[in-house]
Amino acid sequence: MYKRIATTIALFALMYAASAQPSREPYREQFHFSPKAHWMNDPNGMVYYQGTYHLFFQYYPNGTTWGPMHWGHTTSKDMVHWQEQTIALYPDSLGLIFSGSVVVDTDNTSGFGKNGQVPLVAIFTQHNQTLEKAKSDKFQYQSIAYSLDAGKTWTKYAGNPVLPNPGIVDFRDPKVRWFAPTKRWIMTLATKDRITFYSSSNLKNWTKESEFGETLGAHGGVWECPDLFPLNHNGKTVWTLLSSINPGGPNGGSATQYFLGDFDGHTFKPLTTKTRWMDYGPDNYAGVTFANTGNRTILMGWMSNWDYANAVPTKGWRSAMTVPRELGLQMADNELYLTSVPVKELSSLNGKTATLTNLKLTDKPQDLTARLGGKATTYKLTMTAPAPADVELILSNSAGNELLIGYDKASNVYYIDRRKSGNVSFEKSFARRSTAPRLSTSKTLSLSLLVDVASVELIADDGLGVMTGIFFPEQVMTKLSIRSSSALVIPKLSCTQLRPALP
């Protein structure tokens, strides 16, 4: 009897342990960061310091839908394996803790450093709900906090807010960087339907420099989460300005537009007035770059969309981040574009690789599952075609769910089609086919997919075409097929299984 009881207890313990493992949770991403529990949205305060990458994020620790915002915190040595830390910033009498950034104040311009300790300074929006309910237009303003122990603990500045609201309802998301030519900090701030630049010598006292975007770019919704950074192209510095917008994205809901141009410490002057999108997929929003990464410019975004973020069918937690992506510039058809590709550190997860050569395609789906090493749910797939032609990859399962990813030659677009991808009933706009124009004029078509349990990231033409999409299959997608409406031959297709990166 006692033996049976002991066996039963052991069995239940094993069942509990298995159920408690994140890898056992439906839709839990295996190599994308997601919080262990509760709600997450925008990435905040991303900074590299003393060998550690810090990712702060909008976080509500008391529920799985949006609520009073805190700054959650996670750290990594390689941007792949993340360890969630204690909450960094809590709401206070000045308001909730909305989005912002962190800088390394190497020269102690703020005066927060003591005994030679370099301060990390967080600059963030506070959202005062009392003023909002009173119908004030000044309920958002900018505050700061500092850390003298490499980001473990934070002290809010007694003189907050450092940038009061001049009377703009949406006045938020400060992204700050040092601008060496003028020896001042530059704050890039989202101000309703445009960007406003401020400068400061000490992170405490701010002066308005200029505005940008009132009559440029997409204006289907409010501008949010901006970023300004330099990129090098053929020895020339080109400044890139990001502005997320919700709604008004190219495929509905949330998305991030960008502008390329010049910045002199006071004003931003665009090279073109065309509206351009960093990621045409429905699920890359509020992306910003890490501070203090030297010559590398690395971005992470929130892998969701405000159209349905509060309704996705995960249990106990909501949302994940994109993989970190390295940004660059590339010419296509005599125009300059922003590119993004997964960081090289992701290769630390590489497992077995299977490669197929001279793959002949027809309009009938060809099942590649067994030939690529058997059933897998997390992998990287790369392929090239000698000429642009219709090609479609089909992720599926035994429940009949299908996620379609491919290139449509007639329309010259890439696409992600999740209309039959599983659970799509939680929001009417989720079940749709999203498209991205092919910008490259190269005769060689190149595609790369990062597939996780509940997401796909399409990187085409060396980062010129990028799409991110989440999906919620009834069973995990373990099958992979390919087809083409033309007699296409794929010279090389490789599939590398990716190991989980969960702690």
Side-chain angles (χ1 to χ4, degrees):
M1 176 180 176
Y2 291 111
K3 186 175 181 180
R4 284 202 309 272
I5 293 173
T7 301
T8 302
I9 291 172
L11 179 60
F12 274 106
L14 284 171
M15 291 172 63
Y16 175 79
S19 66
Q21 290 292 325
S23 60
R24 303 293 183 186
E25 297 175 83
Y27 314 128
R28 174 67 77 174
E29 297 283 75
Q30 300 295 289
F31 60 87
H32 293 81
F33 173 74
S34 58
K36 294 177 182 177
H38 307 126
W39 168 271
M40 177 184 76
N41 56 287
D42 304 355
N44 297 153
M46 296 160 54
V47 64
Y48 179 66
Y49 186 62
Q50 294 183 345
T52 298
Y53 294 90
H54 295 263
L55 166 63
F56 301 88
F57 50 90
Q58 291 286 277
Y59 186 58
Y60 179 47
N62 297 319
T64 56
T65 55
W66 190 94
M69 287 290 100
H70 302 53
W71 266 25
H73 185 199
T74 187
T75 57
S76 175
K77 295 294 184 181
D78 60 3
M79 297 182 286
V80 177
H81 301 86
W82 294 94
Q83 292 287 338
E84 202 162 341
Q85 308 296 329
T86 58
I87 292 173
L89 295 173
Y90 287 80
D92 57 29
S93 61
L94 289 177
L96 310 179
I97 312 297
F98 274 23
S99 292
S101 51
V102 169
V103 298
V104 181
D105 188 10
T106 305
D107 296 328
N108 196 25
T109 63
S110 62
F112 292 139
K114 298 177 182 177
N115 302 320
Q117 296 169 303
V118 173
L120 298 182
V121 181
I123 309 95
F124 50 91
T125 297
Q126 292 208 258
H127 181 101
N128 190 312
Q129 290 179 301
T130 301
L131 291 178
E132 181 183 22
K133 290 176 182 177
K135 306 299 182 182
S136 169
D137 58 3
K138 299 181 179 181
F139 58 85
Q140 291 183 346
Y141 33 74
Q142 318 318 314
S143 294
I144 60 177
Y146 63 93
S147 173
L148 297 179
D149 56 8
K152 295 182 179 66
T153 61
W154 294 84
T155 302
K156 291 173 183 169
Y157 176 49
N160 283 336
V162 295
L163 181 55
N165 192 318
I168 301 171
V169 173
D170 300 296
F171 188 73
R172 58 176 180 261
D173 310 338
K175 188 63 162 71
V176 175
R177 66 175 300 115
W178 180 252
F179 189 75
T182 59
K183 297 182 179 179
R184 292 179 70 83
W185 297 100
I186 298 298
M187 178 191 294
T188 306
L189 193 69
T191 51
K192 195 175 181 177
D193 61 350
R194 68 199 72 176
I195 300 301
T196 303
F197 298 105
Y198 291 85
S199 70
S200 173
S201 61
N202 59 10
L203 297 168
K204 299 173 182 176
N205 306 109
W206 294 90
T207 301
K208 181 178 177 179
E209 293 289 347
S210 63
E211 295 180 356
F212 171 81
E214 180 183 6
T215 59
L216 296 175
H219 285 273
V222 66
W223 286 23
E224 297 184 304
C225 303
D227 199 353
L228 176 71
F229 49 86
L231 291 172
N232 183 280
H233 181 69
N234 293 336
K236 180 183 177 182
T237 298
V238 178
W239 285 86
T240 303
L241 176 62
L242 305 182
S243 175
S244 291
I245 181 172
N246 178 66
N251 283 290
S254 314
T256 301
Q257 60 183 326
Y258 73 90
F259 307 88
L260 301 178
D262 297 315
F263 182 72
D264 61 2
H266 306 285
T267 59
F268 178 84
K269 296 180 180 179
L271 299 177
T272 177
T273 59
K274 295 180 181 179
T275 300
R276 291 176 172 168
W277 302 97
M278 184 181 70
D279 186 319
Y280 275 84
D283 297 305
N284 183 0
Y285 190 63
V288 288
T289 58
F290 281 94
N292 202 41
T293 51
N295 293 327
R296 301 179 73 188
T297 303
I298 301 168
L299 175 141
M300 291 178 73
W302 177 43
M303 201 158 59
S304 195
N305 190 308
W306 280 117
D307 276 358
Y308 41 76
N310 282 284
V312 295
T314 55
K315 304 295 182 183
W317 93 100
R318 275 204 170 95
S319 301
M321 298 297 181
T322 67
V323 296
R325 299 176 185 176
E326 190 152 358
L327 305 183
L329 297 170
Q330 184 178 328
M331 292 292 294
D333 199 19
N334 296 316
E335 293 195 52
L336 195 60
Y337 291 93
L338 182 67
T339 63
S340 55
V341 296
V343 294
K344 59 186 178 183
E345 286 84 349
L346 196 65
S347 64
S348 65
L349 301 180
N350 286 359
K352 294 181 179 179
T353 296
T355 300
L356 305 178
T357 56
N358 297 321
L359 186 63
K360 297 179 181 179
L361 306 185
T362 66
D363 58 1
K364 182 180 179 180
Q366 186 176 159
D367 191 341
L368 303 180
T369 308
R371 298 170 66 185
L372 291 176
K375 296 180 178 180
T377 58
T378 56
Y379 53 90
K380 177 181 180 180
L381 182 143
T382 59
M383 57 166 281
T384 57
D390 289 347
V391 62
E392 183 170 78
L393 293 153
I394 308 158
L395 280 59
S396 63
N397 57 28
S398 56
N401 305 150
E402 291 185 343
L403 180 74
L404 311 178
I405 306 112
Y407 172 70
D408 181 340
K409 182 181 179 180
S411 302
N412 195 33
V413 296
Y414 296 104
Y415 61 87
I416 296 176
D417 187 339
R418 59 187 182 194
R419 287 175 290 184
K420 298 180 181 179
S421 61
N423 187 346
V424 298
S425 62
F426 51 87
E427 209 284 330
K428 62 181 180 181
S429 69
F430 186 82
R432 59 191 177 200
R433 181 180 186 263
S434 299
T435 62
R438 185 176 190 240
L439 302 174
S440 175
T441 57
S442 171
K443 293 182 179 180
T444 301
L445 187 76
S446 66
L447 290 177
S448 177
L449 296 184
L450 286 176
V451 179
D452 208 335
V453 172
S455 69
V456 62
E457 290 166 275
L458 164 66
I459 311 294
D461 301 316
D462 300 318
L464 267 177
V466 183
M467 299 187 75
T468 304
I470 58 176
F471 57 96
F472 301 94
E474 297 170 83
Q475 301 173 9
V476 291
M477 299 282 201
T478 56
K479 299 179 182 179
L480 177 65
S481 302
I482 189 170
R483 64 185 168 199
S484 174
S485 60
S486 59
L488 181 64
V489 177
I490 303 296
K492 183 177 179 180
L493 184 151
S494 296
C495 184
T496 300
Q497 296 187 15
L498 299 179
R499 293 183 291 267
L502 299 177

